[in-house]
Amino acid sequence: MTKGAKPGQNRFAESQKRRRDYRVTRIKEEVIPKLKAFAGKITFDGATPFSKFCAELYNDGLPVNEKKIGYRTLVQGTEYWAQLGPVYYKYWDSAGNMEFKKETMIGRLAVKRADQLGADIERLRKENDALRSALRNHGTSLTPPPDTKHVDNAFMSKFDKTCRALKLVLDASDGMFAVDLISHKIICAFNDLEPQEGLVPKELAEPFVAWLNAREKNHGQQ
């Protein structure tokens, strides 16, 4: 039983490739030599008349088992025009020849640049891998250090706002709560039983007291 093509597979791909190869060979061996023989003897108003003439040369004497080619196929088929285009631009369209050379050069430069970029990327990848390996061998962390200055500024901004809020609360208590700048503690004027260190642990009160002292030093008594 004959097996069909696999899903998504072009069952005619092989025969199509053989046809393209045959046509390219025939263009090289049959059409182009005849074209060069006509150079300087006939003229063409553009690529279309030229491609029609090429199709006539190609189809002339074509084996009966081969399919004739149309002039549009010669122009639109990349493999075919890659053979015929240079001949047309060289002998019948000098301006187009310069444009063709320009496009060819740009294409080659683009390919060369892409290859170079690919090589550079691969080189950088290998260098990066080697650097990471060396850092790991020396026990160095790959995590970049935090921006200490940025973190400190953000923290101090929040700390300043917190201290301002606490001072507003103390000021609104009408003397019920106060700050002992000498003892570095927050006290309650109506609570004789409060702990010796004040209403809050000393390590919590000291930063606020230091903030008040700095504020008074820089801006005077608030």
Side-chain angles (χ1 to χ4, degrees):
M1 182 176 179
T2 304
K3 294 183 179 180
K6 296 180 180 179
Q9 182 180 9
N10 182 3
R11 68 176 65 187
F12 304 108
E14 188 173 347
S15 62
Q16 290 172 350
K17 183 179 183 303
R18 284 198 301 267
R19 174 179 293 178
R20 285 195 301 270
D21 292 344
Y22 174 81
R23 286 180 167 180
V24 170
T25 300
R26 183 172 176 82
I27 289 172
K28 289 180 179 179
E29 297 179 355
E30 299 290 337
V31 178
I32 291 179
K34 294 177 181 178
L35 280 174
K36 291 181 178 179
F38 284 105
K41 300 177 182 178
I42 59 176
T43 59
F44 299 105
D45 294 334
T48 298
F50 171 80
S51 61
K52 288 182 178 180
F53 184 71
C54 291
E56 292 178 3
L57 294 178
Y58 179 93
N59 295 327
D60 183 37
L62 187 68
V64 294
N65 61 326
E66 292 294 336
K67 184 179 179 180
K68 290 186 177 182
I69 198 168
Y71 73 94
R72 290 189 178 88
T73 302
L74 291 177
V75 176
Q76 297 172 0
T78 305
E79 304 93 334
Y80 311 140
W81 191 248
Q83 305 299 324
L84 296 171
V87 178
Y88 170 69
Y89 294 127
K90 181 177 181 179
Y91 296 105
W92 287 282
D93 187 0
S94 57
N97 184 35
M98 294 301 296
E99 188 65 24
F100 178 79
K101 289 182 178 179
K102 178 182 176 182
E103 292 178 358
T104 301
M105 183 176 295
I106 291 175
R108 290 176 179 174
L109 288 175
V111 172
K112 184 177 181 180
R113 184 177 182 184
D115 292 342
Q116 184 62 45
L117 287 175
D120 290 342
I121 291 173
E122 180 64 18
R123 176 178 56 80
L124 291 174
R125 185 188 66 78
K126 291 181 179 179
E127 291 178 357
N128 186 51
D129 290 344
L131 178 59
R132 285 175 174 269
S133 178
L135 290 174
R136 281 193 294 267
N137 292 337
H138 287 79
T140 305
S141 173
L142 297 177
T143 304
D147 187 345
T148 306
K149 182 178 180 180
H150 176 74
V151 173
D152 288 347
N153 289 339
F155 173 80
M156 291 306 298
S157 176
K158 292 181 180 179
F159 176 73
D160 182 74
K161 291 178 181 178
T162 302
C163 290
R164 287 175 183 272
L166 180 55
K167 185 176 185 303
L168 290 175
V169 172
L170 294 176
D171 292 342
S173 70
D174 292 330
M176 179 177 293
F177 302 105
V179 179
D180 188 338
L181 298 177
I182 298 176
S183 301
H184 289 192
K185 61 183 180 179
I186 299 175
I187 60 176
C188 177
F190 305 101
N191 187 1
D192 295 332
L193 300 178
E194 70 179 17
Q196 185 177 358
E197 63 179 354
L199 294 176
V200 299
K202 190 174 182 179
E203 62 265 25
L204 298 180
E206 282 184 338
F208 178 66
V209 174
W211 178 83
L212 285 176
N213 288 331
R215 181 183 176 88
E216 291 179 358
K217 180 179 179 180
N218 295 331
H219 304 289
Q221 184 69 35
Q222 299 294 319

